[in-house]
């Protein structure tokens, strides 16, 4: 049974930083693309960062240069380092996994975590 569990969200002031983690289990983690998505109230789910099985990364323009995605295949864990944070980064953040898809189209991803809330105050 595939499970993804995010952690590390919280409330910070603008300019601060957070590191999100996503613990994966129940599948061959190292063979899957992993992604981070976020969704703010009233807005569509946005794909923001992706990392392929071989470690190639891609970012949405909204986070490029501020966020860093990484993966530890020995620990089956995905990370998202975020800094500096802006108020517009406030959203629920989700990690997702897929064997083939590795881009911002959220419905192409088969597996999802429950999300972790990030709130950035000005």
């Amino acid at each position: 049974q595939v499970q993804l569990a995010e952690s590390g969200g919280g409330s910070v002031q603008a300019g601060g930083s957070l590191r999100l983690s996503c613990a994966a289990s129940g599948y061959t983690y190292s063979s899957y693309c992993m992604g981070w998505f976020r969704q703010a109230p009233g807005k569509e789910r946005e794909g923001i960062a992706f990392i392929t099985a071989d470690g190639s990364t891609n970012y949405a323009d909204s986070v490029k240069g501020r966020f860093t995605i990484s993966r530890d295949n020995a620990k089956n864990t995905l990370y998202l380092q975020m800094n500096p944070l802006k108020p517009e980064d406030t959203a629920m953040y989700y990690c997702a996994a897929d064997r083939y898809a590795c881009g911002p189209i959220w419905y192409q991803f088969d597996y999802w975590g429950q999300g972790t809330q990030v709130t950035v105050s000005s």
Side-chain angles (χ1 to χ4, degrees):
Q1 180 182 358
V2 175
Q3 290 188 325
L4 299 174
E6 303 93 338
S7 61
S11 297
V12 297
Q13 290 190 328
S17 62
L18 283 173
R19 187 195 196 200
L20 305 184
S21 298
C22 172
S25 62
Y27 69 104
T28 308
Y29 172 79
S30 60
S31 298
Y32 278 58
C33 169
M34 299 297 298
W36 286 101
F37 292 77
R38 66 185 182 186
Q39 189 166 18
K43 295 188 176 181
E44 292 190 359
R45 189 165 296 192
E46 177 190 17
I48 57 172
F50 308 93
I51 186 165
T52 64
D54 65 3
S56 298
T57 59
N58 193 23
Y59 298 92
D61 288 344
S62 58
V63 305
K64 195 173 295 182
R66 299 188 298 120
F67 291 9
T68 302
I69 188 172
S70 61
R71 65 191 299 163
D72 185 334
N73 289 341
K75 296 182 178 180
N76 284 6
T77 303
L78 178 73
Y79 303 100
L80 186 68
Q81 180 68 45
M82 307 185 294
N83 60 274
L85 283 159
K86 302 177 180 180
E88 51 263 45
D89 295 320
T90 295
M92 184 71 78
Y93 283 70
Y94 301 89
C95 67
D98 197 86
R99 183 68 178 85
Y100 301 107
C102 206
I105 303 175
W106 64 267
Y107 52 81
Q108 291 184 334
F109 280 74
D110 282 339
Y111 304 115
W112 291 85
Q114 294 299 306
T116 185
Q117 178 69 37
V118 172
T119 303
V120 185
S121 58
S122 56

